[in-house]
Amino acid sequence: MAQSRTQPRAWQRMLSGRRLDLLDPTPMDIEIEDIAHGLAFVARWNGQTHGDYAYSVAEHSILVEEIFRMLYPNEPIKWQLAALLHDAPEYVIGDMISPVKAAIGPDYGELDDRLTAAIHIRFGLPAKIPATIKKKIKKADKVSAWLEATQIAGFSVEESNKFFGKMDPELVGDLKLHLRPPVETRKAFTARHAALMAEL
């Protein structure tokens, strides 16, 4: 007699009580509090950073949105929101460093794309943002990565220039990273999201 095979569980229960299906995520199962909480406890750089607290994806996201505004002050609020949410899927799938993403291959990208689309729709953004905006957010993301590399991850300026591009001293000169407890970062992320949503 053949044994019945059960499908492995592909959903995660969130603190809000929502059950998010990773294979088929829907906007209805996404809450900003879950995103903020998850991202505040996910460490960038696999936790290999100086300081008493991990540098979280939530903190990184707040900085990327700030840099995006500095670089592109005339972009609409919705694209500032997209910058804040650019790594939001990592509240479920974690922050994988680039070499790990490369090793996993296209499956990681497909999962990320599905989650991103559901998150964007939940907060009134298009499922896929225009390539020109994505490129601008990526530029802000690289500035943030350069700052993180040089300030807390132990990279020299020369190494950071090689991996993330040479930075304009006027842009990065006054930007300092925040290392604070996850609960404070979670609150700051949620507050910034609320402020942007109020302006849409």
Side-chain angles (χ1 to χ4, degrees):
M1 186 174 181
Q3 289 184 332
S4 63
R5 294 187 179 184
T6 57
Q7 289 283 67
R9 178 170 65 88
W11 55 266
Q12 180 176 350
R13 186 191 181 282
M14 300 298 166
L15 289 180
S16 65
R18 299 284 191 186
R19 290 188 178 189
L20 183 66
D21 186 337
L22 302 184
L23 301 179
D24 187 23
T26 67
M28 288 186 62
D29 291 322
I30 290 163
E31 300 292 345
I32 194 60
E33 292 80 10
D34 292 330
I35 293 173
H37 181 83
L39 295 184
F41 283 90
V42 175
R44 295 263 297 164
W45 304 91
N46 277 350
Q48 298 300 305
T49 52
H50 298 289
D52 292 333
Y53 298 103
Y55 189 75
S56 72
V57 175
E59 202 73 76
H60 162 79
S61 299
I62 294 166
L63 180 60
V64 168
E65 192 266 331
E66 180 185 354
I67 294 167
F68 180 84
R69 272 185 287 124
M70 290 171 63
L71 291 171
Y72 312 106
N74 297 321
E75 287 294 349
I77 297 294
K78 65 180 178 178
W79 302 139
Q80 294 175 30
L81 179 62
L84 182 71
L85 296 172
H86 79 284
D87 278 340
E90 294 179 9
Y91 88 106
V92 179
I93 56 180
D95 179 44
M96 293 189 191
I97 58 173
S98 296
V100 175
K101 290 178 184 176
I104 292 173
D107 288 347
Y108 178 88
E110 290 170 14
L111 178 57
D112 188 274
D113 288 345
R114 284 196 297 271
L115 287 164
T116 297
I119 291 164
H120 281 180
I121 292 168
R122 171 67 177 84
F123 299 114
L125 296 170
K128 284 188 79 169
I129 61 173
T132 54
I133 299 301
K134 198 168 183 178
K135 188 175 179 181
K136 289 178 177 181
I137 293 172
K138 188 64 182 173
K139 183 173 180 180
D141 194 28
K142 281 197 167 187
V143 174
S144 180
W146 187 94
L147 289 164
E148 294 164 31
T150 56
Q151 291 185 22
I152 59 172
F155 284 59
S156 69
V157 169
E158 291 73 22
E159 284 178 306
S160 298
N161 288 345
K162 178 181 174 185
F163 292 116
F164 308 110
K166 195 170 181 180
M167 295 295 148
D168 178 358
E170 288 190 16
L171 175 64
V172 298
D174 294 329
L175 290 170
K176 301 290 180 224
L177 302 187
H178 297 286
L179 291 172
R180 49 188 168 176
V183 65
E184 290 182 22
T185 308
R186 179 181 66 198
K187 185 177 179 182
F189 184 94
T190 306
R192 185 62 192 146
H193 177 268
L196 289 169
M197 291 296 291
E199 291 185 61
L200 275 179

